[in-house]
């Protein structure tokens, strides 16, 4: 089976998982919810959707490794890894905010080979296969062109893993430059929005692989710029994310890196 086969499979799988997630979303008040940390929640829906995705992958590709946010990692025999976030934006999901996604990435040779970010609420599937461009529902997309920081919006992420002041200094710098900023609590969806030209860029001091690998590939394949990172290393420990349209990338880097102490 080819990489193209796995890519097609991943898009179909995210669509199926999205239908399951929408059912849980409709009855979210009945779900069991546990707290992993400050503003870090996991629900019955997260666990069951990840299990659903894992089972389908294991049936189709038994020699592949699987890594997910909620159930850890499995061993593999061929160097290919599937990276899953069953619901990116769980806090939104649990509070009835329709901004959450199903995320799936395929990694080999230390690179993300394909990525899918599926928004079940708005029926938008952002997808990218390395070297083949980025698409939204099958139509090619491109990052924003010709807009400077004072002509658009930058996505900003943060979590309980970083110092609050590292975020506020970025907000201040963006405001001084006349830039609008946005946090929608789904880093994967924000990166997909960068790829589609809806946001100029996205920065976050630390993201886990399941939140960012698919979105970073989307941005790169849509003509944007992302920092060069080892995908296997991101799977092991996560890392910083700076992504954006070419004309704003260096500006974003010059704002974010000093704020993070880099």
């Amino acid at each position: 089976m080819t990489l193209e086969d796995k890519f097609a499979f991943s898009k179909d799988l995210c669509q199926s998982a999205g239908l399951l997630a929408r059912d849980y979303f409709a009855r979210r008040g009945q779900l069991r919810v546990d707290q992993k940390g400050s503003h870090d929640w996991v629900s019955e829906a997260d666990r069951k959707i990840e299990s659903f995705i894992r089972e389908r992958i294991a049936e189709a590709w038994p020699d592949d490794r699987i890594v997910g946010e909620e159930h850890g990692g499995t061993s593999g025999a061929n160097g290919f890894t599937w990276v899953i976030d069953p619901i990116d934006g769980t806090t939104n999901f649990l509070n009835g905010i329709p901004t959450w996604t199903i995320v799936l990435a395929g990694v080999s040779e230390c690179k993300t080979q394909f990525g899918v970010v599926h928004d079940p609420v708005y029926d938008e599937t952002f997808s990218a296969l390395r070297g083949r461009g980025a698409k939204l529902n099958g139509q090619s997309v491109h990052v924003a062109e010709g807009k400077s920081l004072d002509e658009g919006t930058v996505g900003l992420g943060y979590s309980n893993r970083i110092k609050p002041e590292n975020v506020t200094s970025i907000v201040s710098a963006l405001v001084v430059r006349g830039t609008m900023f946005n946090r929608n609590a789904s880093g994967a969806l924000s990166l997909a929005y960068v790829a589609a030209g809806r946001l100029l860029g996205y920065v976050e001091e630390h993201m886990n692989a399941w939140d960012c690998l698919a979105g970073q590939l989307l941005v790169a394949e849509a003509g944007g710029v992302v920092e060069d990172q080892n995908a296997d290393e991101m799977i092991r420990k996560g890392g910083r994310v700076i992504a954006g349209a070419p004309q704003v990338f260096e500006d974003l880097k010059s704002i974010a890196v000093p704020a993070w102490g880099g």
Side-chain angles (χ1 to χ4, degrees):
M1 292 292 183
T2 66
L3 194 61
E4 288 81 359
D5 292 324
K6 289 187 176 184
F7 180 48
F9 171 86
S10 70
K11 290 184 285 185
D12 289 342
L13 180 54
C14 284
Q15 291 277 347
S16 297
L19 293 175
L20 180 61
R22 284 195 62 164
D23 179 64
Y24 283 119
F25 188 58
R27 49 189 179 89
R28 58 191 174 276
Q30 303 170 25
L31 298 176
R32 175 183 172 181
V33 179
D34 299 311
Q35 187 168 10
K36 297 188 289 185
S38 176
H39 297 288
D40 190 6
W41 307 89
V42 59
S43 74
E44 177 186 357
D46 295 82
R47 294 189 175 104
K48 288 190 174 180
I49 293 166
E50 183 171 317
S51 294
F52 170 83
I53 295 172
R54 282 173 174 267
E55 289 167 5
R56 297 302 184 275
I57 293 172
E59 289 171 1
W61 319 97
D63 293 330
D64 292 356
R65 181 187 179 210
I66 303 173
V67 174
E69 179 175 11
E70 309 305 340
H71 296 298
T74 65
S75 58
N78 60 10
F80 190 90
T81 302
W82 296 82
V83 185
I84 309 165
D85 193 340
I87 300 176
D88 183 45
T90 297
T91 300
N92 288 342
F93 181 95
L94 294 175
N95 286 288
I97 299 171
T99 308
W100 48 272
T101 55
I102 314 289
V103 189
L104 192 55
V107 173
S108 65
E109 300 176 348
C110 300
K111 296 180 179 180
T112 305
Q113 302 296 341
F114 60 76
V116 180
V117 176
H118 174 57
D119 180 345
V121 175
Y122 293 100
D123 194 25
E124 291 190 325
T125 301
F126 302 84
S127 62
L129 177 64
R130 179 170 290 276
R132 305 288 184 84
K135 295 184 177 181
L136 166 56
N137 291 348
Q139 301 298 313
S140 295
V141 292
H142 198 277
V143 297
E145 296 181 302
K147 290 185 177 180
S148 59
L149 282 181
D150 62 353
E151 296 176 303
T153 303
V154 170
L156 176 64
Y158 63 89
S159 68
N160 58 11
R161 297 184 296 275
I162 66 173
K163 297 177 181 178
E165 56 267 28
N166 292 5
V167 178
T168 56
S169 62
I170 292 177
V171 171
S172 178
L174 290 173
V175 171
V176 167
R177 288 177 177 240
T179 308
M180 298 293 290
F181 63 91
N182 172 270
R183 182 180 187 264
N184 69 9
S186 171
L189 189 59
S190 291
L191 286 165
Y193 282 2
V194 176
R198 299 174 183 177
L199 295 174
L200 289 176
Y202 183 80
V203 296
E204 184 163 353
E205 184 174 357
H206 183 273
M207 295 183 78
N208 291 311
W210 43 81
D211 295 322
C212 68
L213 290 184
Q216 286 174 301
L217 182 63
L218 280 165
V219 173
E221 289 295 321
V225 181
V226 299
E227 290 194 296
D228 186 25
Q229 293 167 318
N230 182 306
D232 289 338
E233 188 70 12
M234 290 292 284
I235 291 172
R236 283 191 290 273
K237 61 182 184 180
R240 75 186 195 188
V241 172
I242 305 172
Q247 71 275 11
V248 302
F249 178 81
E250 290 300 331
D251 284 339
L252 290 177
K253 190 173 181 179
S254 70
I255 291 171
V257 174
W260 298 337

